[in-house]
Amino acid sequence: MTADDFEALVTEVLDALPDEMVEGLDNVVFLVEDEHPDEDLLGIYEGVAITDRGQYGFGELPDRIMVYRLPHLATSETLDDLRAEVRTTLVHEIAHFYGIDDEQLHELGWA
């Protein structure tokens, strides 16, 4: 799958997430890259969770949610598998924005 096609799929999956999950995402950008330079990751949240913020909103750069194309393609055999894995990754990283840690995500089945 080309980078453009994968980015379109990520956008499609993101648009299909429930409104209550995404409407609170303030100052967050979603980016697609081929792979993380140092680790084998499907995605990563880079920012300060809303539960850890003090004074915020005075010129900070946006938080970033990165989705990595090549690891997703390597773990998915079908297009439906790929969509499901991208959805899981997006939900997982959005949860970090809301202050939900990996332990809680494991308990909820999103890790």
Side-chain angles (χ1 to χ4, degrees), residues 35-66:
E35 58 192 336
H36 190 277
D38 302 319
E39 299 179 60
D40 185 23
L41 300 173
L42 294 172
I44 193 167
Y45 168 71
E46 298 173 339
V48 178
I50 60 173
T51 55
D52 295 332
R53 294 180 182 174
Q55 294 263 330
Y56 186 84
F58 298 101
E60 291 88 354
L61 292 174
D63 291 1
R64 300 176 352 147
I65 293 178
M66 306 294 298

Side-chain angles (χ1 to χ4, degrees), residues 67-79:
V67 179
Y68 299 111
R69 181 176 70 99
L70 296 177
H72 275 91
L73 296 178
T75 61
S76 302
E77 293 185 19
T78 68
L79 187 56

Side-chain angles (χ1 to χ4, degrees), residues 6-18 21-22 79-80 82-91 94:
F6 184 77
E7 190 168 333
L9 182 131
V10 170
T11 300
E12 171 190 317
V13 172
L14 182 60
D15 288 345
L17 291 176
M21 183 180 296
V22 295
L79 187 56
D80 286 341
L82 182 59
R83 271 192 190 91
E85 194 62 53
V86 167
R87 183 178 193 278
T88 298
T89 299
L90 288 171
V91 170
I94 290 169

